[in-house]
Amino acid sequence: MNRWEELTGGTSGHAYAARFAALAEGGEDVHGEARFCAALVPAGARVLDAGCGTGRVMIRLAELGYDCVGVDLDASMLAVARREVPELPWFQADLTEFDPDLLGIVADFDLVVVAGNVFPLLAAGTEAHAVERLAAVLRPGGLLVAGFGLDRAHLPVPPGIALPEYDKCCAEAGLTLVDRFATWDADPYDGGGYAVSVHRR
């Protein structure tokens, strides 16, 4: 069981979607991740939303013209995504065991986005497996973009993977660090408690 399942019991899809809907209705910008990704690859590029949850990021990217695929382990989150936009491809899978062939997914993505604290919420010790699986579905030159919290102020659980450890996982999977930011608005990273990292295959 990963840390997300321990935290939510796999039943938080409706509540998670409602929280972001309330933020959007209150005038908050809830599309920073999609905007960040759109600045990295052109419309029409293939994007894998790994840990897609209720589909907030992927649905926006699809609206912007990207060829998107969403993968998540939480059935309650995927149920919301499928209800919102049933025509998009949503798959249930564990990222640490992700095999696109088994799902009929062509593994030549231009970008893989991992938002929503996915890496810190994996089971401890499985992060390298997830990075390896995601790196493998990138085309040469493709990008892995991951944003996650590094301290208790930015996480719903005690801190998990640290940046040096994450970078080591990426290097072992054949990825090179391109840039790192403090937010999805591309603010410079200054060593704070949240980081958005861009690695290239």
Side-chain angles (χ1 to χ4, degrees):
M1 181 178 291
N2 62 38
R3 301 175 91 192
W4 174 254
E5 291 173 303
E6 292 173 354
L7 182 69
T8 68
T11 61
S12 64
H14 179 73
Y16 189 90
R19 179 163 67 89
F20 278 96
L23 289 172
E25 289 171 6
E28 295 289 329
D29 176 16
V30 296
H31 296 303
E33 299 98 328
R35 187 169 56 251
F36 184 95
C37 293
L40 295 176
V41 291
R46 294 196 74 226
V47 176
L48 175 68
D49 188 349
C52 62
T54 59
R56 176 177 53 86
V57 177
M58 176 167 146
I59 291 169
R60 180 58 178 159
L61 284 170
E63 290 172 347
L64 294 174
Y66 291 87
D67 180 8
C68 299
V69 174
V71 177
D72 203 285
L73 183 60
D74 189 323
S76 74
M77 304 283 268
L78 287 171
V80 174
R82 288 171 175 146
R83 186 169 63 248
E84 287 292 316
V85 188
E87 63 269 25
L88 288 178
W90 309 102
F91 295 92
Q92 185 173 10
D94 186 334
L95 295 182
T96 65
E97 302 173 357
F98 179 49
D99 185 341
D101 290 339
L102 294 179
L103 301 174
I105 299 171
V106 178
D108 65 345
F109 289 94
D110 299 291
L111 184 145
V112 173
V113 57
V114 192
N117 285 322
V118 170
F119 280 113
L121 291 168
L122 295 174
T126 66
E127 299 92 349
H129 297 294
V131 172
E132 181 181 12
R133 297 284 182 162
L134 296 177
V137 305
L138 285 169
R139 64 165 182 77
L143 300 173
L144 173 64
V145 179
F148 54 87
L150 303 165
D151 59 22
R152 199 63 177 89
H154 294 86
L155 289 167
V157 294
I161 188 168
L163 286 179
E165 182 184 357
Y166 176 67
D167 287 341
K168 183 174 183 288
C169 292
C170 288
E172 291 174 348
L175 304 174
T176 302
L177 180 65
V178 175
D179 216 334
R180 177 161 285 142
F181 303 93
T183 68
W184 290 100
D185 289 324
D187 295 318
Y189 182 68
D190 58 1
Y194 190 89
V196 179
S197 305
V198 182
H199 287 78
R200 188 184 305 277
R201 180 177 178 188

